Amino acid sequence: MRGILVLVEHRQGQLRPVSLEVLGAAVQAKEASGERLTAAVLGASPGTFTEALQLAGVDEIVTVQTASDAFDPDTYEAVARALIQDRAPSLVLLPHTIDTLGYAAPLAAKGNHGFTTDAFGLSRDGDAWLATRSGYGQKVNMEIEFPGRATVVVTLRPGSFKAPEAGGTAALTSFAAPPVTERSTHIEFEEPAASGDVDIPGADFILSVGRGIGEETHVEQFKELADAVGATLGCSRPIADSGWLPKAHQVGQSGKTAANCKVYIAMGISGSVQHMAGMKHVENIIAVNTDPEASIFTIAKYGIVGDIFEIGEELRNHF
Amino acid sequence: MKILVTIKQVASLDEDFELRDDGRDVEADFHVFDLNEWDHYALEEAMRLKEGAQDAGVEVVVATVGPDSADEELRKCLAKGADRAIRIWSDDLEGADPVGIARVLAALARKEAPDMIFAGVQASDHAYGATGMALAGLLDWPHAAVVAGLDYSPGSLCATARRELEGGAYATVKVQTPAVLTLQLGINTPRYASLRGIKQAATRPIETFSPADLGVPADETGAAGSLSRVRRVYVPEVGRAQMIDGTPAEQAARLASLIKEFRGEA
């Protein structure tokens, strides 16, 4: 009996919801392997998070007291390494998040653990773990194995697993943090830019534009189109990065989630994992794109293969 | 003063691609190559530091691990103004995962001894998001991932990095240098290569090494130095939108009626 270890994440006093999804994946892994499931939380006052981690299937919650609550890659790596040495788990599950990107690979590379990232599937083959992730811009799936590795570290794609039910009875233990020399210092958090009159999370109807609009001078006509049809104007990352629309319009992992959206029209957006993270849950997605192979058509309810300018112009005639 | 920029030749797939006979990859004939999108930003950041600190004499070195075809991507970087280009390859590297690649880059970094290493956050083909940070781990250098803003004077002992977080937030951190940073899209506006630059780059030398040249032991090269192995690649069953066909006018009319239905007007 080895073990499954999950390191959870929190930011500014809030447990990050994706950590609970990772625990959901871990509960499935526990059912497949019979191994014990340990959730570890580290921070200046890790005890504040233990209640939220009392979820069905979690056997143990380990608190690790560290100097600061703010994420530091050296600290997370050192604590993860010490826990792996102490528990020798067969599987370490982490969320595929910005913070984890900063320490998972160094942890695995230095420890020679099996390692892959952004997995959305996890399975068992005999007593070995297998992970499934996508390749070539989501055109294929890759099944990943870890021959000869006693411990496997896998980061999991947000939105791929369900959080476990509440009502666990995990044992609470504490673990002494190893000494760490931090080589970076957290200075400050910056809140998301003020959204002005744009409310992506609150909007029920969003018309979003992507790289397909081509040039900045084309933004205006889609603004008018969104107004005409009564939609909030959203955009994908390249449009915000170029400064063509304020960041408050951006839908996706590093932008906003279209939390209350019922209808989402994606125009000239190919559908990266990061964009989909902010809108794939929307019930009615309509994609307009010249590329019939664009990923966005795999999650859209309706698809139009066509020129967004032509469709946009024709659409205006109806409003 | 030297900045090492690690780049990748990424592959996208031709329509109607086929899988290799062993089922572990796509048949190479169907690969369409390009320079990883993130690498344009990583190189640009290095070029900006070079141009901003003329007295300090910053040398920008681009390096990749890949077969002959990757020379094309290195030349794109030379055309944009990189000082030197290095390519590392041997057939043993076929099947290396991101950590297998990072071991080779770490050996190169020990040889080149740069003051700073920039890599992209991830590659647009397989999106592991792992190589740059694995490199930091193997070198045991300070590091920060997903940097969307950088305040650094070449030669100084620390850099201030603005890390992009989820949901439109940022975290600013001070990082000791030399450091490995993975740079995010949008950190700058990458330049285009000039025609003159492209012409000159065509004749510039590309330094080539094998992992053995760099002292990477055979048992750490390629698959042997990797932490994962692709067991099989397959085309997933994916959802497919209900397609609205017809002329643009007909398509737009249907779209309009869907919108009106949603708004309760139809």
Side-chain angles (χ1 to χ4, degrees):
Chain A
M1 180 151 151
R2 303 284 307 284
I4 300 160
L5 174 66
V6 172
L7 253 72
V8 302
E9 275 184 19
H10 51 86
R11 185 175 292 153
Q12 297 183 283
Q14 299 296 316
L15 205 58
R16 304 208 53 233
V18 62
S19 290
L20 305 186
E21 297 174 14
V22 174
L23 283 170
V27 169
Q28 285 178 27
K30 170 185 164 173
E31 283 162 4
S33 67
E35 297 184 18
R36 185 178 155 85
L37 168 51
T38 300
V41 56
L42 60 97
S45 25
T48 58
F49 301 104
T50 53
E51 202 181 313
L53 296 173
Q54 284 289 5
L55 300 167
V58 179
D59 296 303
E60 182 192 10
I61 299 169
V62 179
T63 55
V64 187
Q65 172 101 40
T66 56
S68 165
D69 264 338
F71 172 78
D72 170 71
D74 292 327
T75 304
Y76 269 73
E77 187 191 329
V79 169
R81 171 167 302 109
L83 281 166
I84 290 171
Q85 269 167 8
D86 188 63
R87 307 297 176 94
S90 77
L91 183 65
V92 179
L93 294 178
L94 307 170
H96 190 71
T97 53
I98 304 289
D99 283 350
T100 301
L101 279 175
Y103 79 95
L107 171 71
K110 280 195 246 171
N112 275 312
H113 305 305
F115 180 52
T116 201
T117 61
D118 200 22
F120 52 81
L122 200 61
S123 60
R124 189 94 169 151
D125 178 22
D127 57 0
W129 294 107
L130 287 178
T132 307
R133 65 189 312 287
S134 33
Y136 296 107
Q138 307 173 73
K139 291 285 196 304
V140 302
N141 283 358
M142 307 161 78
E143 209 170 74
I144 307 288
E145 58 189 358
F146 311 94
R149 305 288 170 184
T151 296
V152 173
V153 178
V154 180
T155 71
L156 298 177
R157 178 178 292 182
S160 307
F161 296 91
K162 276 207 166 65
E165 301 289 318
T169 52
L172 288 180
T173 56
S174 65
F175 182 82
V180 187
T181 311
E182 293 182 0
R183 296 167 298 181
S184 53
T185 318
H186 174 84
I187 308 290
E188 60 174 359
F189 282 112
E190 221 176 297
E191 297 305 324
S195 55
D197 54 351
V198 192
D199 180 17
I200 293 291
D204 61 356
F205 178 21
I206 295 172
L207 186 151
S208 231
V209 294
R211 228 192 274 263
I213 68 167
E215 287 175 31
E216 183 170 14
T217 51
H218 297 148
V219 171
E220 194 56 36
Q221 71 196 80
F222 288 96
K223 245 182 210 166
E224 286 167 11
L225 179 65
D227 280 347
V229 301
T232 298
L233 183 65
C235 71
S236 65
R237 168 167 207 128
I239 304 301
D241 275 352
S242 304
W244 297 355
L245 280 171
K247 184 123 179 129
H249 290 265
Q250 188 185 324
V251 178
Q253 186 186 48
S254 61
K256 298 291 183 191
T257 298
N260 288 296
C261 187
K262 305 285 189 301
V263 176
Y264 190 92
I265 304 179
M267 302 190 87
I269 295 175
S270 61
S272 68
V273 176
Q274 289 80 10
H275 186 75
M276 289 190 193
M279 48 66 77
K280 71 174 178 195
H281 59 277
V282 177
E283 197 188 330
N284 299 296
I285 298 168
I286 307 162
V288 187
N289 205 296
T290 47
D291 174 12
E293 302 297 320
S295 300
I296 194 86
F297 288 123
T298 66
I299 60 157
K301 189 165 178 184
Y302 299 99
I304 293 175
V305 177
D307 179 275
I308 57 169
F309 298 99
E310 254 180 295
I311 300 292
E313 215 164 283
E314 292 286 352
L315 191 58
R316 283 298 295 270
N317 298 332
H318 296 270
F319 290 89
Chain B
M1 168 70 206
K2 188 191 289 186
I3 301 173
L4 179 65
V5 181
T6 61
I7 68 149
K8 184 184 183 188
Q9 179 178 53
V10 293
S12 55
L13 299 182
D14 254 343
E15 273 176 52
D16 304 319
F17 61 87
E18 287 168 21
L19 299 180
R20 221 161 61 184
D21 285 342
D22 68 0
R24 291 175 55 199
D25 204 342
V26 168
E27 192 67 63
D29 294 351
F30 299 93
H31 286 163
V32 181
F33 293 124
D34 202 353
L35 177 61
N36 179 34
E37 187 181 356
W38 275 261
D39 301 344
H40 289 280
Y41 295 84
L43 174 62
E44 181 65 31
E45 201 61 19
M47 292 303 300
R48 282 159 57 112
L49 290 173
K50 177 186 170 78
E51 289 159 356
Q54 281 163 355
D55 299 342
V58 176
E59 184 184 33
V60 175
V61 180
V62 286
T64 196
V65 177
D68 297 0
S69 62
D71 281 352
E72 193 181 334
E73 316 313 333
L74 289 170
R75 290 200 192 284
K76 286 178 186 170
C77 299
L78 289 172
K80 291 192 190 201
D83 295 297
R84 286 166 55 216
I86 299 171
R87 185 173 61 80
I88 309 154
W89 190 245
S90 80
D91 289 343
D92 298 337
L93 286 167
E94 195 76 49
D97 78 348
V99 175
I101 298 295
R103 288 191 208 282
V104 176
L105 293 172
L108 177 73
R110 287 188 191 104
K111 177 172 178 286
E112 288 287 328
D115 299 90
M116 192 67 121
I117 300 177
F118 292 161
V121 165
Q122 62 181 38
S124 50
D125 48 6
H126 293 334
Y128 283 104
T131 310
M133 286 297 109
L135 171 58
L138 294 167
L139 292 172
D140 203 16
W141 280 19
H143 51 275
V146 197
V147 173
L150 180 63
D151 185 0
Y152 170 64
S153 305
S156 70
L157 297 175
C158 69
T160 304
R162 184 170 176 251
R163 296 176 53 240
E164 177 189 275
L165 306 175
E166 290 87 353
Y170 295 88
T172 301
V173 293
K174 196 169 258 189
V175 188
Q176 294 172 20
T177 61
V180 181
L181 305 179
T182 61
L183 304 189
Q184 176 63 306
L185 304 176
I187 185 172
N188 52 43
T189 306
R191 70 195 62 196
Y192 291 96
S194 66
L195 269 176
R196 188 163 150 267
I198 293 168
K199 251 186 200 166
Q200 286 177 344
T203 58
R204 301 257 302 275
I206 287 172
E207 301 161 51
T208 53
F209 299 102
S210 71
D213 293 339
L214 298 171
V216 183
D219 62 357
E220 284 183 20
T221 299
S226 294
L227 302 177
S228 66
R229 188 166 72 187
V230 178
R231 175 185 280 199
R232 121 185 132 98
V233 159
Y234 61 97
V235 180
E237 294 268 335
V238 288
R240 187 72 188 157
Q242 188 182 322
M243 287 298 172
I244 300 169
D245 297 321
T247 63
E250 290 162 352
Q251 291 172 315
R254 177 81 179 105
L255 179 52
S257 67
L258 284 169
I259 293 169
K260 285 175 180 167
E261 209 174 291
F262 159 65
R263 288 177 21 171
E265 293 167 11

